[in-house]
C-alpha cells in the first residue's frame, strides 16, 4: 500500500500485494477478499473506521472477480486492487487515516501484517452547491393567492 491524498468522496484505491514467503502453498478464494484480509483503518480522531452500509451489505465478498480458488506457490505474488476503499469503509472525516491490512491465513496461524499507509482526506476547496429549480417547486396558477377586492 502507498500513501495517498484524496478529496472527500473521491475514490480511494487500495492495492494489496500478497507474496508467499513460506515454504508451502497458500490457497484462498479470490472473491472473498474481506474474509481473508482484515482492514485496520484508524480515522483522524483515533477511532477505527467502520464498514459503510455498502461494505456491510457486501457480506464479506467481492461483487467482482471469480469465486475460484487461488493457489500461491512459495515466492509467488498475488495483486488485488480495490478501486474505492471508501465505498467499503467510512472516510467521511477530513484529516489523516492510518490504513493497515492483515492477511488472516489459516486457523491457528498468526495474522500477517502489511505496512501502514497514510491516506489524507482533504477539505473541499469549493463548497458551492448547484441548485436547479424543478417544475414541482414553482407556484402553479391554481395555488396563487389572489388579493381581496
Amino acid at each position: 500500500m502507498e500513501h495517498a491524498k484524496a478529496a472527500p468522496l473521491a475514490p480511494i484505491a487500495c492495492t494489496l500485494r500478497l507474496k508467499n514467503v513460506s515454504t508451502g502453498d497458500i490457497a484462498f478464494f479470490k472473491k472473498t477478499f474481506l474474509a481473508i484480509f482484515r482492514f485496520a483503518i484508524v480515522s483522524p480522531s483515533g477511532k477505527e473506521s467502520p464498514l459503510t452500509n455498502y461494505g456491510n451489505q457486501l457480506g464479506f465478498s467481492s461483487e467482482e472477480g471469480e469465486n475460484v480458488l487461488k493457489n500461491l506457490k512459495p515466492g509467488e505474488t498475488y495483486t488485488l486492487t480495490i478501486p474505492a476503499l471508501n465505498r467499503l469503509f467510512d472516510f467521511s472525516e477530513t484529516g489523516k487515516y492510518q490504513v493497515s491490512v492483515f492477511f488472516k491465513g489459516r486457523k491457528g496461524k498468526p495474522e500477517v501484517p502489511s505496512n501502514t499507509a497514510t491516506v489524507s482526506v482533504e477539505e473541499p476547496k469549493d463548497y458551492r452547491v448547484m441548485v436547479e429549480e424543478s417544475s414541482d417547486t414553482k407556484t402553479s396558477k391554481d395555488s396563487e393567492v389572489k388579493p381581496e377586492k
Side-chain angles (χ1 to χ4, degrees):
M1 291 185 357
E2 297 177 12
H3 304 290
K5 284 186 179 181
L9 303 177
I12 298 171
C14 177
T15 300
L16 304 172
R17 289 179 195 85
L18 177 64
K19 183 175 182 179
N20 183 355
V21 295
S22 72
T23 57
D25 290 4
I26 296 174
F28 58 91
F29 285 101
K30 287 172 31 176
K31 192 172 180 180
T32 55
F33 66 87
L34 286 176
I36 62 169
F37 294 107
R38 180 175 67 82
F39 289 78
I41 301 171
V42 180
S43 73
S45 61
K47 297 176 184 172
E48 189 169 332
S49 290
L51 284 169
T52 61
N53 286 337
Y54 177 75
N56 279 314
Q57 289 174 5
L58 205 52
F60 292 97
S61 67
S62 170
E63 290 180 334
E64 299 174 8
E66 305 163 32
N67 195 17
V68 297
L69 189 65
K70 176 67 180 164
N71 192 45
L72 277 184
K73 299 208 175 294
E76 287 184 337
T77 300
Y78 175 69
T79 301
L80 170 71
T81 299
I82 301 169
L85 189 62
N86 51 331
R87 288 220 43 220
L88 302 172
F89 293 91
D90 183 7
F91 280 82
S92 59
E93 200 177 329
T94 57
K96 292 183 179 184
Y97 289 78
Q98 301 300 312
V99 180
S100 299
V101 182
F102 298 83
F103 177 66
K104 293 180 185 177
R106 298 181 189 162
K107 276 188 173 179
K109 301 282 183 180
E111 291 183 327
V112 180
S114 71
N115 63 315
T116 299
T118 301
V119 176
S120 297
V121 176
E122 300 177 336
E123 287 284 340
K125 294 185 180 9
D126 190 353
Y127 286 96
R128 289 182 293 167
V129 178
M130 298 278 300
V131 178
E132 292 183 20
E133 187 177 336
S134 65
S135 60
D136 60 344
T137 60
K138 293 179 183 174
T139 306
S140 68
K141 219 174 186 185
D142 296 337
S143 63
E144 286 181 353
V145 177
K146 307 216 186 229
E148 292 181 18
K149 292 186 181 181

